[in-house]
């Protein structure tokens, strides 16, 4: 009886139901779901049925960071997101300092980088410090911090940076100024930091800052590797994983670039191992790689490093030491160009400190102590990083269900993003003058003041606070003083200056400039 009724009902539906009725019902369901999501979003972006946040991302792809910031402001600092139905992406985006402190410190163990992040960077970074979690990360950080904070390495890196500035950067700037040539400042700064990190950390001189600006295959391969790795974050796994298996598209380019990067790293490690065996030690070398090999040679308790470990060490340090500092500097020079009063204050400070030097020394690079005295310059660099952080977004993955300080619930496996770019542009954090480039906000009674590290997350915070922060400031100050005291950097008019959406906040089109001699 029940079966015949069921069959009759199906036959009736088949006979009387029209396609238009089904379509109308689906549209109604879609709209009801949309209205529900609209109410739940509380001012944040809507997660569409089936499509999630994909439509909003597509509509704002040319200003993604700006859209994230505006959405966070409307949502009160935090909102949930969801990807397309079959992609499996879900989580939150926040710019709330209390939430960030909870993620990076209070409940640190619950928010590692996570498998989602590590899987995408595995080909390039393998198990290096920027792709590691838990005990592996702790050990790698301990080793890096011990050596990077040693007096010997600090003196070596400072001498390396001064030498590069005096013998290459200044000469290159002289050539550009004399020829009145238009050049890409971002490219030059990337070359400087690349040479600097390779010499300081690995004892290898790529020579990319030569006056003829040569093409360096390894440097180019590294850029391609990072760009093609990012593509994995912009598409679901069921797209990029088959591409990897088949060796097509950006996955083919990634594999080729990684092969070049790892070949460079392997050759560097092999050469240093051979030097170690030949000389029976590396005590005469001060670069980071040599110091680590020397410690291993002296058989410090429990210490053994494989060639793979050193390869991971090399690629991780290049990411840390090349891109972030150079990108920070190019945004700094652009902001200084647009704020003449800031440039005047920086020049005044430089001249004041130069005035204390003997006349024959005034054209050389400053000492570490003299750089430390440049309070206004450091404030200007810090303020520049607030508006244009080198790493605009960070991501973690929740191990267990959690509730953030603002009441936002986080599900196990959720990808938790915090927008460092947006945090630097929130009135709730910085006040009504957040939009102003105002170095003075970092100075009290003639000294630099540090804001709460969880509202200024430029150098990360908590246990993962950047071990190279002091190194970065020293490098930026050396370059900024060398250029600004000699030349006025004039940005070419008519170019579009916008961020490039990558893991590092490059200028999308570079920064075309000319130099005007200050003595001319």
């Amino acid at each position: 009886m029940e079966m015949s009724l069921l069959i009759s009902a199906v036959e009736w539906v088949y006979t009387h139901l029209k396609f238009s009725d089904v379509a109308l019902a689906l549209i109604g369901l879609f709209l009801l779901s949309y209205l529900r999501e609209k109410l739940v979003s509380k001012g944040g972006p809507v997660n569409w049925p089936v499509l999630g946040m994909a439509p909003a991302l597509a509509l704002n792809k040319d200003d993604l960071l700006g859209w994230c910031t505006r959405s966070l402001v409307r949502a009160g600092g935090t909102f949930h997101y969801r990807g397309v139905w079959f992609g499996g992406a879900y989580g939150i985006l926040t710019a709330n300092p209390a939430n960030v402190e909870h993620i990076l410190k209070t409940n640190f163990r619950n928010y590692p980088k996570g498998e989602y992040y590590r899987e995408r960077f595995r080909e390039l970074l393998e198990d290096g410090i920027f792709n590691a979690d838990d005990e592996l990360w702790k050990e790698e950080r301990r080793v890096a911090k011990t050596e990077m904070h040693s007096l010997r390495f600090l003196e070596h890196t400072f001498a390396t940076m001064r030498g590069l500035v005096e013998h290459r950067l200044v000469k290159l700037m002289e050539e550009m100024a004399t020829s009145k040539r238009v050049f890409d400042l971002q490219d030059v700064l990337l070359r400087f930091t690349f040479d600097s990190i390779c010499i300081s950390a690995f004892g290898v001189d790529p020579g990319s800052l030569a006056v003829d600006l040569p093409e360096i295959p390894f440097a180019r391969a590294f850029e391609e590797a990072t760009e093609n790795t990012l593509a994995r974050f912009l598409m679901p796994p069921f797209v990029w994983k088959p591409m990897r298996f088949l060796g097509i598209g950006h996955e083919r380019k990634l594999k080729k670039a990684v092969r070049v990067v790892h070949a460079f790293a392997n050759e560097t490690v092999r050469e240093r191992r051979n030097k170690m065996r030949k000389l029976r030690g590396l005590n005469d070398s001060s670069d980071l790689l040599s110091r680590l090999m020397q410690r291993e040679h002296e058989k410090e308790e429990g210490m053994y490093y494989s060639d793979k470990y050193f390869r991971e060490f090399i690629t991780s340090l290049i990411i840390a030491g090349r891109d972030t500092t150079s990108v920070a500097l190019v945004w700094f020079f652009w902001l200084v160009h647009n704020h003449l009063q800031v440039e005047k204050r920086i020049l005044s400070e430089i001249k004041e400190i130069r005035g204390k030097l003997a006349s024959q020394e005034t054209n050389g690079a400053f000492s570490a102590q003299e750089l430390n005295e440049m309070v206004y310059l450091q404030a200007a660099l810090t303020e520049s990083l607030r508006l244009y952080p080198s790493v605009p977004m960070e991501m973690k993955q929740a191990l267990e269900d959690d509730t953030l300080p603002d009441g936002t619930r986080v599900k196990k496996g959720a990808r938790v993003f915090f927008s460092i770019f947006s945090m630097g542009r929130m009135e709730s954090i910085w006040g009504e003058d957040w939009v102003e480039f105002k170095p003075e906000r970092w100075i009290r009674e003639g000294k630099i003041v540090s804001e709460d590290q969880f509202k200024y997350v430029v150098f990360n915070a908590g246990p993962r606070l950047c071990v190279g922060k002091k190194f970065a400031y020293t490098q930026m100050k050396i370059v900024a003083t060398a250029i600004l005291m000699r030349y006025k950097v004039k940005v070419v008019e008519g170019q579009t200056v916008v961020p490039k959406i990558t893991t590092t906040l490059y200028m999308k089109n570079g920064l075309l400039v000319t130099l005007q001699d200050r003595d001319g």
Side-chain angles (χ1 to χ4, degrees), residues 36 45 59 117 183 236 246 271 278 282 357 402 427 434 468-469 474 491:
R36 176 185 173 278
L59 288 171
Y117 181 96
F183 67 97
L246 296 171
E271 178 275 328
K278 183 178 179 180
L282 294 169
L357 303 174
D402 193 20
E427 184 176 327
W434 70 264
K469 179 179 177 180
T474 300
V491 175

Side-chain angles (χ1 to χ4, degrees), residues 63 96 101 134 162 191 240 332 387 479 510-511:
D63 183 29
N96 184 322
E101 181 173 7
D134 304 321
R162 284 190 62 166
R191 288 169 178 272
W240 69 262
F332 165 78
L387 292 169
V479 173
L511 186 66

Side-chain angles (χ1 to χ4, degrees), residues 50 208 218 229 279 291 359 362 376 386 388 413 457 505 515:
V50 182
S208 67
F218 169 68
T229 295
L279 300 179
R291 300 316 307 146
S359 58
T362 55
Y376 192 81
R386 175 181 72 86
Y388 294 98
V457 206
L505 200 68
L515 299 178

